[in-house]
Amino acid sequence: MSEREFCLLYHPWILAMRQDGKTEELSLLEALSRAHELKDLSGEVPAQDAALLRFLLSILHSVFARYSPEGSFSEIRDTNDAFKRWSELWERGSLPMDIITRYLNKYENRFYLSPPEKSFFQVPNLGRGTYYTSAKLNGEISESGNKIRLFPQRTGRQKQQLSYAEAARWVFFINAFDDSSVKPATRGLKASGKTESPGTGWLGKLGLIMAKGHNLFETLLLNLVLLPDTGDSLWEKEQPSWEFKPRAEERVRIPMPRNLSELYTLQSRRIMLEFKDDMVTGYRMLSGDFFLSENAFTEQMTVWKSTGKKGGVKIYTPRRHDPSRQLWRDFPVLFAQSENSGHRPGILSWLSRLKEKDLIKSSHFCFHIMSVKYGDKNSSIDDMFSDTLTFNSNLIKKAHEHWVCRIIEEINTTEKLVRQTAYLARDIAKASGDKSGNTAVNLTKDQCYYQLDLPFRAWLEMIDPDRDDLDSTCDEWFFTAQRIVRRIGDELVKKAGTKAFVGRVVVDNEKKYRYTAPEAYNRFLYKTSSREALWKEVKI
């Protein structure tokens, strides 16, 4: 195969899972035309799938902001038009490929992976920038010249080259999630005023959240946000990257995009692949376009955190997910009901509007989150993680906000139950001779949340706010959580040795404290006996 032959529209490169669980490699047009038959994207890592999902969405935004599903030119004029267009697409059950194919064929020469002219997601003839081998491009390895992985998934020649299909997938990943190690190439960068570091790729700054459907078509449509989540405004004219000549300048601070196709194809990095014997062996890279993340509400797929006020205006920035926390523990953040968040993710607001207008009949919504964990100063990728959460779709209606508040209250109560169990573990450890008991506390918390995880997810998924009684439903969870943590507490006491039962006196800040396993257990039983006892909690 010659370098010029590999066109993303027609050659297989997208990994997707069929409904039977088998994975296929498909061209871009095949993946879109068969989206209703496919279960999901199934790339090497979830972060790669997230970047590719946004790329597919950028195509749908570019097409259906301008054309009706039947193929006639008809721009979205107002909010009613947007909801009508979304509903027409949803009711079809599959994507209208005639208009999508016609549109993409207009830009066919922009969808070739390799040189010489308009390489996709690349800057042709990029002669400067940091050079990396393909081991860095491969997100499963993410190995730079000065950071060698001890146990890489590939070794030898396999590590130093990628097929065109593999490279195409990883180009999306590196553009979205690259770490901040890329060095500036322009000597006069300081003089030009471009000293600000863009940091990681845009998606690396986010706590990504996406809606998941029963198939790839549903996933695409659920995340096809045709309106901003503020008032009756519309997105500005769609501007996907392939419709414009790529910029070659490094570190270009741009205004926040006001349309999703431009945001979803943001060129966070300037990339030029290196080819040899029909393989990709390396690439050159510079930092590319970036914008300020403060109140960047064009972004629909992230959770947010409050960072104070500026000029009397509340400031929110994207909030990365914590890999140590299950998604249900951040339920308040999803609904903007936590102390540290006051802005709901755009995708939840969009689905809420669809549900309020009765345009979607799904009884449940499933949300998928993923994030990349970076090392010191975001200079390397340490880990990638993901999670899902399913709950009744009626919970996002305004009429059921009281349900959301009570669920959040139950989560807070659950955390107090876990805390009391951790106190028990700490006091038993101190009674046994441990100075701080910190290790016992951390292990016990992990064990509690591990055992609470599946029961809470099952309880949340079973809630139907249109049918269930609020108080009895919440009581059901409290007694389930109480039973789980008390069982763990019983095990802690049973494993405590004679030394812990005899106990000891500890002097702390000139005060004496006596620690024994029986006293700690009695205190634990009282504190976990009721909600009232929990909320009277006093740290000891």
Side-chain angles (χ1 to χ4, degrees):
M1 179 188 297
S2 71
E3 291 176 352
R4 183 60 179 163
E5 281 180 17
F6 197 89
C7 180
L8 302 184
L9 300 183
Y10 310 116
H11 287 88
W13 63 280
I14 295 176
L15 290 175
M17 183 184 294
R18 301 188 323 214
Q19 293 293 345
D20 62 5
K22 294 182 179 178
T23 300
E24 283 191 59
E25 198 170 60
L26 305 170
S27 70
L28 174 55
L29 290 175
E30 285 176 327
L32 291 171
S33 66
R34 293 179 53 194
H36 58 290
E37 302 172 359
L38 301 169
K39 186 174 181 63
D40 205 353
L41 296 173
S42 186
E44 284 86 347
V45 293
Q48 184 192 93
D49 291 337
L52 286 177
L53 177 69
R54 288 165 70 96
F55 166 60
L56 297 179
L57 285 169
S58 69
I59 294 172
L60 300 190
H61 278 286
S62 301
V63 173
F64 297 114
R66 301 157 175 165
Y67 299 94
S68 71
E70 290 72 34
S72 60
F73 182 78
S74 176
E75 293 183 325
I76 293 176
R77 300 179 300 275
D78 53 38
T79 57
N80 289 333
D81 201 19
F83 287 122
K84 181 174 181 291
R85 183 151 305 177
W86 188 91
S87 181
E88 289 173 350
L89 288 168
W90 180 261
E91 292 300 324
R92 289 177 66 96
S94 62
L95 293 172
M97 289 305 298
D98 287 347
I99 182 58
I100 293 175
T101 303
R102 270 195 284 137
Y103 168 78
L104 290 174
N105 281 339
K106 283 169 54 180
Y107 299 97
E108 177 186 326
N109 66 337
R110 299 290 180 94
F111 284 87
Y112 283 89
L113 182 69
S114 50
E117 294 169 5
K118 299 176 178 116
S119 311
F120 188 78
F121 262 41
Q122 299 171 68
V123 178
N125 305 315
L126 185 67
R128 63 194 194 283
T130 308
Y131 179 78
Y132 300 99
T133 67
S134 60
K136 171 74 170 176
L137 181 63
N138 185 341
E140 288 186 299
I141 303 174
S142 193
E143 178 181 286
S144 63
N146 59 3
K147 185 176 182 180
I148 308 300
R149 298 288 182 187
L150 291 178
F151 303 104
Q153 297 193 26
R154 295 187 181 198
T155 57
R157 189 177 179 185
Q158 282 190 331
K159 187 169 72 171
Q160 300 303 329
Q161 61 184 23
L162 294 168
S163 69
Y164 282 15
E166 289 174 312
R169 296 192 293 272
W170 288 120
V171 161
F172 285 93
F173 170 84
I174 205 75
N175 181 67
F177 293 99
D178 184 42
D179 56 45
S180 60
S181 64
V182 61
K183 300 294 189 294
T186 305
R187 289 186 177 181
L189 207 59
K190 189 172 184 179
S192 67
K194 295 183 178 181
T195 56
E196 186 177 0
S197 173
T200 67
W202 174 243
L203 268 62
K205 298 179 172 75
L206 308 181
L208 277 167
I209 177 167
M210 299 150 283
K212 302 295 286 186
H214 294 98
N215 53 49
L216 180 56
F217 166 79
E218 287 192 4
T219 296
L220 287 168
L221 263 292
L222 291 173
N223 292 283
L224 186 67
V225 183
L226 293 183
L227 292 170
D229 59 356
T230 52
D232 294 328
S233 58
L234 302 176
W235 296 121
E236 293 182 1
K237 183 180 178 181
E238 298 294 336
Q239 295 183 326
S241 64
W242 55 81
E243 292 188 7
F244 301 90
K245 182 180 178 181
R247 279 191 286 264
E249 301 92 343
E250 61 179 310
R251 298 194 178 200
V252 179
R253 181 167 154 181
I254 63 173
M256 182 186 68
R258 302 290 181 177
N259 67 92
L260 290 181
S261 63
E262 182 182 0
L263 177 64
Y264 291 171
T265 57
L266 180 74
Q267 303 296 280
S268 292
R269 296 293 184 264
R270 312 286 189 234
I271 301 170
M272 187 67 243
L273 298 178
E274 179 184 85
F275 300 87
K276 184 178 180 181
D277 299 329
D278 288 336
M279 300 294 285
V280 174
T281 56
Y283 63 106
R284 289 195 175 276
M285 184 167 65
L286 294 169
S287 293
D289 299 336
F290 67 100
F291 54 88
L292 295 180
S293 59
E294 294 180 350
N295 292 357
F297 295 142
T298 302
E299 179 55 64
Q300 302 295 294
M301 294 184 179
T302 188
V303 292
W304 301 87
K305 64 181 178 182
S306 173
T307 56
K309 288 186 178 182
K310 188 181 290 185
V313 177
K314 287 185 178 180
I315 301 299
Y316 299 95
T317 57
R319 174 186 183 272
R320 286 173 175 162
H321 299 296
D322 183 347
S324 67
R325 290 175 65 88
Q326 297 91 342
L327 179 55
W328 59 265
R329 294 171 62 191
D330 282 332
F331 189 82
V333 177
L334 301 185
F335 283 84
Q337 298 278 351
S338 74
E339 293 179 4
N340 199 29
S341 176
H343 189 83
R344 184 188 285 201
I347 183 61
L348 263 75
S349 296
W350 171 247
L351 294 178
S352 176
R353 295 173 80 176
L354 293 178
K355 196 68 181 176
E356 294 284 356
K357 290 182 175 293
D358 203 28
L359 295 180
I360 187 167
K361 307 296 183 183
S362 303
S363 64
H364 286 74
F365 286 139
C366 177
F367 291 95
H368 176 215
I369 63 115
M370 71 83 41
S371 232
V372 168
K373 182 182 178 183
Y374 296 90
D376 185 43
K377 297 181 180 179
N378 295 325
S379 61
S380 62
I381 294 176
D382 281 358
D383 196 10
M384 288 173 263
F385 60 94
S386 61
D387 196 1
T388 59
L389 188 67
T390 301
F391 52 81
N392 192 287
S393 58
N394 287 321
L395 284 175
I396 66 175
K397 286 184 175 181
K398 290 183 179 178
H400 294 309
E401 286 181 349
H402 60 294
W403 270 92
V404 172
C405 292
R406 281 296 298 274
I407 291 169
I408 292 171
E409 187 178 316
E410 291 308 310
I411 292 172
N412 292 335
T413 300
T414 302
E415 291 185 338
K416 286 184 175 291
L417 285 169
V418 172
R419 198 173 302 141
Q420 288 300 330
T421 315
Y423 289 166
L424 173 63
R426 179 202 63 187
D427 291 350
I428 290 175
K430 284 189 172 184
S432 300
D434 190 328
K435 237 178 195 181
S436 67
N438 289 339
T439 300
V441 165
N442 294 331
L443 288 174
T444 300
K445 282 184 176 180
D446 288 345
Q447 185 182 9
C448 285
Y449 283 121
Y450 176 78
Q451 293 195 27
L452 288 163
D453 186 45
L454 289 180
F456 184 89
R457 292 173 190 270
W459 173 75
L460 181 63
E461 190 171 346
M462 290 296 292
I463 290 174
D464 184 347
D466 288 333
R467 183 195 64 192
D468 296 341
D469 177 73
L470 181 59
D471 290 334
S472 61
T473 300
C474 291
D475 284 344
E476 178 187 341
W477 169 249
F478 175 78
F479 293 128
T480 299
Q482 180 193 56
R483 184 170 61 252
I484 291 171
V485 299
R486 283 192 162 191
R487 183 172 63 238
I488 294 171
D490 290 346
E491 292 172 357
L492 289 171
V493 174
K494 287 176 182 176
K495 291 177 181 177
T498 305
K499 199 173 180 181
F501 274 80
V502 174
R504 70 189 184 111
V505 174
V506 176
V507 178
D508 187 8
N509 290 330
E510 298 182 354
K511 290 185 178 180
K512 293 182 179 181
Y513 299 91
R514 178 173 177 77
Y515 293 96
T516 70
E519 289 175 342
Y521 186 54
N522 286 335
R523 188 161 48 244
F524 166 75
L525 290 178
Y526 167 71
K527 288 292 187 181
T528 60
S529 62
S530 67
R531 287 191 180 88
E532 292 73 24
L534 270 177
W535 286 90
K536 289 177 184 176
E537 172 194 337
V538 177
K539 269 196 174 184
I540 55 173

